Amino acid sequence: MKVKKTKLDNIKNIDDLTEEEKKIVRAFEEKDWNEIKSYDSWVIFKVMSEFVEGFEKLAKIGPCVTIFGSARTRDDHKYYKMAENIAAKLVRHGYGVISGGGPGIMEAANKGAKSEGGKSVGLNIILPFEQKGNEYIDPDKLITFDYFFVRKVMFTKYSQGFIVMPGGFGTLDELFEALTLIQTKKIGKFPIVLVGKEYWGGLIDWIKDTMLTAANNVHKEDLNLFKLVETEAEAVDA
């Protein structure tokens, strides 16, 4: 039987490939056991170090609410102002504020917390674009991660609630991680509040009409795991 050749079979010069193609090629390279063990050991210790740093810095921060949202939201946008005001109101109610540490909504959250003298925590992530720690994070409460999954553990372990502003794939990832953990009773139920009916309405309609009604892939009770609000006051009350 003739085996069909792929682009990888015809590679003569790896320098001619894009970065994504190089990653694919390297994934197919044969490695001996020592190489595998050496790399995997390094990853294990790096993951452990991130967990240790996170636990040590966050263990005594007290009650906090995490505010999620897009890194791309400009400081003159209404959702930036809302996130800033929500964070300030939360501090006045005795909560610290945790964000993803970057610009946009995350910056607004830290800015609002700092304006009221509250705890302002940033769980930053190393990315090829978009992200660097914002200036409103308490210096002793900024932690930078390589691994998304470690960072998400910190969000869920040290938050008493999530406020989810409009955002992209990262925001959805964090939202559904929390919903899944609560749904499967891996963590206790805490408030998950979506802000912006115009932004989130289509997603919620799809969950109700497609996931629930058409496909029966969630239970009706699962819709009670989150609350959709429109105003800053409603978000803080929830």
Side-chain angles (χ1 to χ4, degrees), residues 44-77:
I44 289 168
F45 284 114
K46 181 69 172 70
V47 169
M48 288 174 59
S49 73
E50 291 195 359
F51 273 119
V52 169
E53 182 185 9
F55 292 158
E56 285 183 343
K57 286 192 174 182
L58 300 177
K60 298 179 181 179
I61 60 170
C64 284
V65 173
T66 292
I67 298 178
F68 293 118
S70 175
R72 306 181 188 192
T73 304
R74 296 168 58 92
D75 60 8
D76 58 352
H77 195 283

Side-chain angles (χ1 to χ4, degrees), residues 85-148:
N85 292 335
I86 288 169
K89 292 175 189 292
L90 287 169
V91 169
R92 292 198 288 270
H93 281 16
Y95 289 97
V97 171
I98 301 173
S99 86
I105 294 295
M106 296 174 280
E107 178 186 282
N110 291 123
K111 185 178 180 181
K114 196 172 187 67
S115 71
E116 293 293 318
K119 292 176 181 175
S120 182
V121 184
L123 307 184
N124 193 29
I125 186 81
I126 297 172
L127 297 175
F129 56 89
E130 277 187 0
Q131 187 107 341
K132 62 180 180 179
N134 68 68
E135 62 183 295
Y136 302 104
I137 302 166
D138 296 341
D140 63 329
K141 298 180 183 67
L142 171 63
I143 310 172
T144 299
F145 298 90
D146 268 315
Y147 298 100
F148 272 108

